[in-house]
Amino acid sequence: MPATDVIKKRLIASSFPVVLTGAGISAESGVPTFRGAEGLWRNFRAEDLATPGAFERNPALVWEWYNWRREKISGLKPNPAHYALAELGKRFADFTVITQNVDGLHTFAGSKDVLELHGNIWRVRCVGCAAVSENRQVPIEIPPRCSCGALLRPDIVWFGEPLPVGVIERAFKALERTDFVLVVGTSGIVEPAASFAATAKSNGAFLVEINLERTPLSDIMDVVALGKAGEIIPKLL
Ligand code: BV8
Ligand code: ZN
């Protein structure tokens, strides 16, 4: 039986499906992934720039990188994978989308209560008064300042920073309860998200991975469907 039929059977039988997505689900929308060819910007890697230290030392350089990404993604639309997940979400009373992506495309496609583990590129946070606001200016002035005078930073979780407490709690609650996890388009490297599938498995969940290639997570999966998210996920409808 083809992988998508097995996945579909298990999905339909599940009561609390959880989907964990990474940059790969937005690739077909034109959003560069982190560890693909586009992962580089002026020879910097995400790990070099997406850190509190880098922002401390050179906020303008970090903002130049985020401006480059904001410009790159500002006109981009969700792809069939995002829309298919939004449609699936309507068919279950309890359907949780947990994403590592900061592009906001799941919400744009209609998914509800998306758990954004690593924040959102269209939100900024004041390093002084901690005020959080949406900011869709492209380009944003560099470096942007809050009305209180302090610097604004992207409201994004950098390496070495803890994930938002509320989001983590809700993610673990879903992972403890779920019986079916779909892991889509992630290289399975960045923690703690990379351990989420194993957490669900230890609670008896059926695990499915959709990716162009095998990843470090593939060995614990019940089904690995190799191919494009934008082609495979719509087949689950
Ligand atoms: C934390 C924000 C603790 C940036 C991101 C050693 C030193 C220092 C730290 C660590 C260390 N070892 C481990 C750590 C912890 C660290 C970590 O995991 N590092 C990694 C590099 C080893 N983690 C952290 O620091 C986290 N915080 O641990 O805090 C703590 C606790 C309490 C108190 C204080 C501290 C924070 C991690 C968050 C980092 N921020 N993003 C930004 O976006 O601007 S991570 C960044 O990588 C993105 O968010 C991205 O989502 C994430 C993961 O990447 P992927 O989504 O998987 O994307 P990738 O490009 O890698 O892969 C794409 C996949 O899609 C590929 O598999 C490809 O085949 C596939 N694909 C492509 N096209 C398609 C497709 N699949 C299907 N269809 C397609 N069409
Ligand atoms: Zn402020």
Side-chain angles (χ1 to χ4, degrees):
M1 183 196 288
T4 34
D5 291 354
V6 174
I7 300 169
K8 219 164 148 173
K9 226 161 69 54
R10 283 284 180 157
L11 174 60
I12 292 168
S14 88
S15 4
F16 308 107
V18 168
V19 185
L20 172 63
T21 67
I25 199 166
S26 296
E28 290 156 86
S29 297
V31 180
T33 63
F34 282 81
R35 290 160 191 90
E38 304 238 352
L40 283 170
W41 174 70
R42 285 199 217 157
N43 303 324
F44 285 102
R45 307 239 17 107
E47 286 76 9
D48 308 332
L49 286 170
T51 70
F55 188 75
E56 210 53 37
R57 277 189 303 280
N58 191 340
L61 176 69
V62 173
W63 266 114
E64 271 183 59
W65 179 49
Y66 280 97
N67 244 348
W68 175 76
R69 288 172 62 198
R70 288 159 72 106
E71 274 161 8
K72 249 184 137 37
I73 72 175
S74 63
L76 301 184
K77 299 267 177 291
N79 66 61
H82 295 108
Y83 286 118
L85 287 184
E87 179 50 38
L88 279 175
K90 291 183 195 137
R91 301 182 183 179
F92 288 87
D94 202 316
F95 188 90
T96 307
V97 176
I98 304 174
T99 188
Q100 299 172 84
N101 301 340
V102 298
D103 57 32
L105 289 179
H106 282 300
T107 305
F108 191 155
S111 286
K112 299 270 178 277
D113 301 327
V114 176
L115 297 182
E116 293 182 318
L117 296 174
H118 299 156
N120 186 304
I121 200 162
W122 300 115
R123 271 198 318 265
V124 292
R125 186 168 83 234
C126 176
V127 301
C129 70
V132 173
S133 55
E134 185 171 291
N135 177 307
R136 288 189 177 266
Q137 286 165 340
V138 173
I140 194 168
E141 51 157 336
I142 289 187
R145 289 203 172 273
C146 172
S147 47
C148 80
L151 272 180
L152 290 172
R153 60 166 278 176
D155 190 26
I156 278 187
V157 180
W158 285 332
F159 289 101
E161 293 189 318
L163 274 60
V165 175
V167 171
I168 274 283
E169 266 162 17
R170 287 174 56 202
F172 277 111
K173 240 173 84 213
L175 293 166
E176 266 133 38
R177 192 183 47 194
T178 186
D179 45 10
F180 176 93
V181 181
L182 185 60
V183 179
V184 187
T186 180
S187 56
I189 295 168
V190 174
E191 295 297 351
S195 305
F196 282 9
T199 302
K201 187 175 186 85
S202 64
N203 296 313
F206 187 82
L207 302 187
V208 175
E209 180 178 41
I210 295 175
N211 200 306
L212 297 180
E213 59 193 16
R214 291 183 69 81
T215 72
L217 300 177
S218 301
D219 292 344
I220 64 165
M221 294 292 155
D222 294 292
V223 173
V224 175
L226 295 181
K228 289 184 173 181
E231 287 165 13
I232 297 175
I233 302 184
K235 288 192 188 129
L236 302 182
L237 284 178

